[in-house]
Amino acid sequence: MSVAFEGIDRLVVTFLAGDVTAGKPVVMGGEGSVKNASSGQMPVGVALHARDGHAAVQLKGFVTVQYSGTTAPALGWTALVADSVGCLRAAGSGRMCLVVTRDSEKKTVGLFL
């Protein structure tokens, strides 16, 4: 039997957006807008789609994202921040996320925002 987390408690909001990359963490860029997260910033969510100056951003629920570093973030409640290339990394403080899956070959983690 397999398990599936997709769609659980998912909250997606449309924001104004400049140059936002789908699948990458984002931060607030101004009133009602988001931008790609920079190194050390605590993301508000993950951009799912971006076009025509808008981005669909997942703020809550299960999402799969890339991580950086040689070791995947720990399973369980983990503080995460953005890195310099649009991935997430574990940090001493940051956005607390529940990491439930890790794939070291793809360098991805499945987590609840």
Side-chain angles (χ1 to χ4, degrees), residues 14-39:
T14 301
F15 287 93
L16 294 172
D19 187 21
V20 169
T21 307
K24 302 295 183 178
V26 296
V27 296
M28 295 304 298
E31 289 189 33
S33 68
V34 292
K35 63 182 182 179
N36 286 330
S38 298
S39 184

Side-chain angles (χ1 to χ4, degrees), residues 24-100:
K24 302 295 183 178
V26 296
V27 296
M28 295 304 298
E31 289 189 33
S33 68
V34 292
K35 63 182 182 179
N36 286 330
S38 298
S39 184
Q41 290 185 309
M42 190 170 22
V44 297
V46 175
L48 300 179
H49 305 284
R51 70 172 192 208
D52 300 330
H54 294 82
V57 178
Q58 186 168 340
L59 303 178
K60 190 175 174 188
F62 181 81
V63 66
T64 300
V65 295
Q66 289 188 303
Y67 68 85
S68 62
T70 56
T71 305
L75 292 172
W77 289 104
T78 303
L80 299 172
V81 296
D83 70 3
S84 61
V85 294
C87 297
L88 292 178
R89 64 176 173 83
S93 64
R95 180 165 180 167
M96 293 302 292
C97 298
L98 178 59
V99 177
V100 295

